[in-house]
Amino acid sequence: MTVVRLTEEQEAIAQSAMATGRYNGPQEVIDAALKLLKTREEQREAFLRSLDDARREGEEQGYVEIDEVAVELDAIIAEAEGKLDARSGH
């Protein structure tokens, strides 16, 4: 079994967590912390995979410049505003 030494700050965090009554001891606090770390790492890996997928898609299908997106969005907004004006009679 590995022995882990906590800093004073870590000990205070663990004690505070146990004081809430949600944890029965330091081991439960450490277990919760490690589960959180695992979840965070899984999320990080998923994010990195999504970046790789987006990069690959951009390389395969080409990239769109932000100015092109802005022009297209402006046109969509103008069209939607025109439809709203037509409905309201303005």
Side-chain angles (χ1 to χ4, degrees), residues 1-80:
M1 176 171 198
T2 302
V3 175
V4 177
R5 304 229 187 271
L6 301 178
T7 65
E8 286 182 23
E9 181 182 10
Q10 292 167 334
E11 180 68 31
I13 293 168
Q15 290 296 329
S16 177
M18 289 182 294
T20 67
R22 291 181 51 217
Y23 303 95
N24 293 320
Q27 186 62 49
E28 286 187 13
V29 174
I30 291 170
D31 288 346
L34 290 174
K35 286 178 186 174
L36 183 60
L37 176 63
K38 180 182 178 204
T39 298
R40 182 176 175 209
E41 288 300 313
E42 289 169 349
Q43 291 170 339
R44 179 181 176 278
E45 289 297 319
F47 177 70
L48 292 175
R49 279 192 307 275
S50 73
L51 287 178
D52 287 340
D53 291 346
R55 185 178 301 114
R56 219 175 359 267
E57 181 180 324
E59 289 168 355
E60 291 170 1
Q61 299 178 10
Y63 294 93
V64 179
E65 295 293 325
I66 190 68
D67 293 338
E68 295 173 51
V69 173
V71 167
E72 187 174 338
L73 285 175
D74 287 344
I76 291 169
I77 291 168
E79 181 181 338

